Amino acid sequence: MNAIVIGVAAYVALQFAIGAWVSRRIKSETDYILAGRQLGVGLAAFSIFATWFGAETVLGSAGRVYKDGLAGAQGEPFAYAAAIVIMGLLLARPLWRRGLVTFADFFRQRFSPGVETAATLLLIPGTVIWVAAQIRGFGQIMSTTAGMDIALAMTLAAVAVVAYTMLGGLLADVYTDLLQGSVIIAGLLAVFVVIVVQLGGVAQGLASIDPARLKPMTPDQPLLDFIEQWAIPICGSLVAIELISRILACRSPEVARAAAGTGGLVYFLVALVPVFLGLVGPNLVPGLSDGEQVIPALAKAYFPTILYVVFAGALISAILSTVDSALLAAAALVSHNLVQRVHPGLTESRKLLLTRTCVAGLGIVAYVWALGSTSIASLVEQASAFATAGIFVVTIMGMFTRVGGPLAAYAAMATGALVWLIGSKEYGMDWSVPYLKALAAAVVIYLAGALIERRHAG
């Protein structure tokens, strides 16, 4: 296992080197937050793929498929892949054309500075929870593969990612995403090939799966629950600041659209590997108490040391590529849309220092959250659902209609967040389909607010 620790340490050191190299090119806030708006299709698409392909995709989705069959893959990866493609088809071009620095700028342009502040405050917690999920995933991987204490591993992950994200900003993230995404694909393909050989081929592996495990829904799953499992990742991802930051960093609206579509397709194809491994996992490593350990368990059982190191690097890559992107996007909101609104006129050097300080602060918050959590999957679901119902409704209505103003936006965002919090299992009363109820309530309240505004204007 020493080879794994050394390999991971060398890999993280390479991230630092890339961050330090890129940091020399950072001269302004736009350089740091949006890579100078110069991303082409290839870099942007690969960065979108690597950003979205995190610990939840590799460990969480495989674990749910191991437990529930194909029905466990409803949200991750299928709905997340669909969300990225929908972003390209529906939102990428209109978002880019607005000349935004952050997603929250849209709410100021379309509604008011107050709505911008409210949206920022609602967007940040979900992103921090997402980062916490990845940090916890890092801890689980290092605990399983190298025998490291999980809390120590999470501490090292938080320190490493915060440090190199502070250095190079989005441009460093994009370059490291290229490296990390390549390692992710190589590592998962190595697992796939070894397991397929062990099974005697893909066809034999699929034939060994109980047909009941290939059904897209569990027998007792209500239709609304099935829709909820798709609505959370799709609606949540379409307003995810780390995805939108890549869209805004592209060099043109056409590049933004193509990058999102390509990134979503790559994500879907690569994510089929964890799904396949989750399906065949019970035949190869039966009786796992924690389904999220199925891929590490397969690698541990069937890999020689050198391939096991490649596998560990792939998992670490999946996590690091997600954490740095989310941290930077959240820090940009705090710096650009909160602090700079109170203290306008800062020099570019002070804006850079402020954003980097926000990266460090939010990294600490996410680390503490990760220490207190128990499951990657639960954290990711919270991150996708947290306050996004109202944000999604306001974004769609504001982007594609002239209906509604500040009152409608305030009311819909507050209603969506409140209904989900009250109905959620983690924070409230454990309603059935709380997210769909939050979406419906936000739509109704938005339209009611718009009607009130129209009457007062008349």
Side-chain angles (χ1 to χ4, degrees), residues 8 55 66 105 148 152 172 221 226 237 248 258 277 280 331 365 371 376 379 404 421 426 432 439:
V8 170
Y66 178 91
D105 288 350
M148 185 180 292
L152 174 61
Q221 184 180 26
F226 177 82
S237 296
L248 302 180
L277 296 175
V280 301
V365 173
L371 285 177
I376 299 172
L379 282 172
L421 283 170
E426 292 82 5
S432 63
L439 280 173

Side-chain angles (χ1 to χ4, degrees), residues 20-108:
W21 173 66
V22 170
S23 67
R24 297 178 300 175
R25 303 168 60 180
I26 305 300
K27 305 299 182 184
S28 68
E29 181 188 43
T30 303
D31 289 342
Y32 188 74
I33 295 175
L34 294 180
R37 302 185 194 271
Q38 292 300 312
L39 297 187
V41 173
L43 273 178
F46 220 77
S47 183
I48 288 170
F49 155 70
T51 296
W52 236 237
F53 204 93
E56 164 63 4
T57 314
V58 180
L59 301 178
S61 64
R64 284 195 299 272
V65 173
Y66 178 91
K67 179 184 176 184
D68 299 325
L70 200 58
Q74 292 169 10
E76 179 72 80
F78 299 137
Y80 282 104
I84 301 172
V85 173
I86 292 170
M87 168 61 78
L89 295 175
L90 185 66
L91 290 176
R93 287 196 293 187
L95 277 171
W96 192 95
R97 285 173 174 155
R98 286 180 172 268
L100 311 174
V101 176
T102 71
F103 179 40
D105 288 350
F106 163 76
F107 298 94
R108 182 181 71 255

Side-chain angles (χ1 to χ4, degrees), residues 106-157:
F106 163 76
F107 298 94
R108 182 181 71 255
Q109 287 184 4
R110 173 60 175 81
F111 298 102
S112 73
V115 175
E116 169 197 15
T117 301
T120 300
L121 293 174
L122 289 174
L123 285 166
I124 290 171
T127 303
V128 174
I129 297 171
W130 182 272
V131 174
Q134 308 310 312
I135 292 175
R136 178 163 186 82
F138 186 104
Q140 284 194 350
I141 292 164
M142 294 306 294
S143 175
T144 302
T145 60
M148 185 180 292
D149 177 74
I150 189 170
L152 174 61
M154 286 192 285
T155 302
L156 295 176

Side-chain angles (χ1 to χ4, degrees), residues 79-330:
Y80 282 104
I84 301 172
V85 173
I86 292 170
M87 168 61 78
L89 295 175
L90 185 66
L91 290 176
R93 287 196 293 187
L95 277 171
W96 192 95
R97 285 173 174 155
R98 286 180 172 268
L100 311 174
V101 176
T102 71
F103 179 40
D105 288 350
F106 163 76
F107 298 94
R108 182 181 71 255
Q109 287 184 4
R110 173 60 175 81
F111 298 102
S112 73
V115 175
E116 169 197 15
T117 301
T120 300
L121 293 174
L122 289 174
L123 285 166
I124 290 171
T127 303
V128 174
I129 297 171
W130 182 272
V131 174
Q134 308 310 312
I135 292 175
R136 178 163 186 82
F138 186 104
Q140 284 194 350
I141 292 164
M142 294 306 294
S143 175
T144 302
T145 60
M148 185 180 292
D149 177 74
I150 189 170
L152 174 61
M154 286 192 285
T155 302
L156 295 176
V159 171
V161 173
V162 167
Y164 82 74
T165 304
M166 288 177 66
L167 278 175
L170 182 62
L171 189 58
D173 285 356
V174 169
Y175 281 122
T176 55
D177 283 347
L178 181 61
L179 170 65
Q180 291 158 347
S182 300
V183 175
I184 292 166
I185 293 172
L188 283 178
L189 285 179
V191 180
F192 178 74
V193 169
V194 169
I195 297 304
V196 165
V197 170
Q198 180 68 27
L199 292 169
V202 175
Q204 287 83 349
L206 292 174
S208 70
I209 301 169
D210 182 350
R213 289 173 52 78
L214 296 176
K215 295 180 179 179
M217 296 175 61
T218 57
D220 58 344
Q221 184 180 26
L223 178 60
L224 283 179
D225 181 72
F226 177 82
I227 296 173
E228 169 112 336
Q229 295 305 311
W230 281 74
I232 290 174
I234 289 177
C235 297
S237 296
L238 288 175
V239 295
I241 54 177
E242 56 269 38
L243 175 57
I244 291 173
S245 68
R246 266 97 184 128
I247 299 300
L248 302 180
C250 290
R251 66 168 63 110
S252 72
E254 290 72 27
V255 168
R257 182 180 188 182
T262 304
L265 179 60
V266 174
Y267 177 95
F268 172 75
L269 294 175
V270 178
L272 291 177
V273 175
V275 172
F276 175 79
L277 296 175
L279 286 170
V280 301
N283 297 329
L284 299 173
V285 283
L288 292 178
S289 58
D290 182 1
E292 290 183 350
Q293 292 301 314
V294 58
I295 293 183
L298 286 170
K300 199 169 186 178
Y302 296 103
F303 270 22
T305 301
I306 185 63
L307 285 181
Y308 197 58
V309 171
V310 173
F311 160 76
L315 292 183
I316 297 302
S317 292
I319 290 169
L320 295 182
S321 62
T322 299
V323 176
D324 56 13
S325 305
L327 268 182
L328 180 62

